Amino acid sequence: MDVFGFYYCLSFICLLRVEMESLIYWRDPKKSGPIFGGVLLILLSLKFFSLISVVAYVSLLGLAATISFRIYKNIVQAVQKTGDGHPFKDYLETDVALPQQKVEEVTKVAVTHLNATIVELRRLFLVEDLVDSIKFAVLLWCFTYLGAWFNGITLIILAWVALFSLPKVYETNKTQIDANLDIVRSKLAEITSKVKAAVPIGKKSEEKKE
């Protein structure tokens, strides 16, 4: 049963990954466009209005649309004297309950990633490797500047736009970008090796691991 659950979870993750790749690479613009635009519109609304206001207005718009469509269909049925029934009958009969097994499997994967993140943060904050902790400190220092320039919702908006633009840009210009990334990686590796050679603590920790 555990093996079956593992493969079920793995297949679900693979399916979700394929679906996400299809969206962010704009394989089907009719799907990617509405999702990108809809979420971006909500995020922009959250930038200027409170979460409660955005949820309330979006819900009111959706409810107004469904009520209007219901009234329209009722009028059409009365004029044409047809018995089509409720216009949302198919959706009302659709099972929208979350499968318990799928929720449990996704939760297990999320907890696994969370535990791995906690272990990595412990390693960095308790300075198991001095060089890695220094890198983490530099990253946090950069985040302080990001926090001074942008607020949280602005960063989320930028991340959402980047998610739907950078992968496609990379796919289109893969050769040139890979060449530049190789240069950057070699420079970073060179700098890291020099730092580790200059820091005796970093040497000792590596010798202990070996």
Side-chain angles (χ1 to χ4, degrees), residues 128-131 192-210:
E128 181 179 341
D129 185 286
L130 182 61
V131 175
T192 302
S193 62
K194 288 181 179 179
V195 171
K196 286 187 175 181
V199 179
I201 299 177
K203 287 182 178 179
K204 290 180 181 178
S205 62
E206 285 185 354
E207 288 174 359
K208 288 181 181 178
K209 287 181 180 179
E210 290 176 357

Side-chain angles (χ1 to χ4, degrees), residues 48-204:
F48 300 103
F49 304 100
S50 67
L51 176 62
I52 296 175
S53 298
V54 172
V55 171
Y57 280 119
V58 171
S59 300
L60 280 173
L61 286 173
L63 188 59
T66 53
I67 291 175
S68 301
F69 185 73
R70 173 71 191 277
I71 294 173
Y72 167 75
K73 293 297 289 185
N74 285 348
I75 294 173
V76 171
Q77 290 176 20
V79 172
Q80 297 179 352
K81 296 181 179 179
T82 59
D84 295 335
H86 200 290
F88 299 116
K89 182 180 179 181
D90 294 336
Y91 297 102
L92 289 170
E93 294 176 353
T94 302
D95 184 15
V96 295
L98 293 173
Q100 184 176 355
Q101 184 180 2
K102 186 178 292 186
V103 172
E104 290 176 354
E105 297 296 339
V106 173
T107 303
K108 287 180 181 178
V109 174
V111 169
T112 301
H113 286 293
L114 178 62
N115 289 334
T117 302
I118 292 173
V119 171
E120 182 64 17
L121 288 174
R122 181 187 64 182
R123 189 182 73 84
L124 292 171
F125 277 105
L126 298 183
V127 199
E128 181 179 341
D129 185 286
L130 182 61
V131 175
D132 287 344
S133 295
I134 291 174
K135 289 179 183 177
F136 185 56
V138 172
L139 180 64
L140 293 177
W141 180 70
C142 294
F143 281 160
T144 61
Y145 281 92
L146 281 176
W149 293 336
F150 311 104
N151 57 24
I153 191 64
T154 303
L155 290 174
I156 294 174
I157 292 171
L158 292 174
W160 182 252
V161 174
L163 180 65
F164 276 81
S165 58
L166 294 183
K168 190 64 179 177
V169 171
Y170 175 75
E171 186 181 46
T172 306
N173 306 280
K174 189 175 186 299
T175 305
Q176 299 92 322
I177 293 174
D178 284 344
N180 292 323
L181 285 177
D182 288 337
I183 296 173
V184 173
R185 287 194 195 100
S186 63
K187 292 294 183 183
L188 287 176
E190 183 181 347
I191 293 171
T192 302
S193 62
K194 288 181 179 179
V195 171
K196 286 187 175 181
V199 179
I201 299 177
K203 287 182 178 179
K204 290 180 181 178

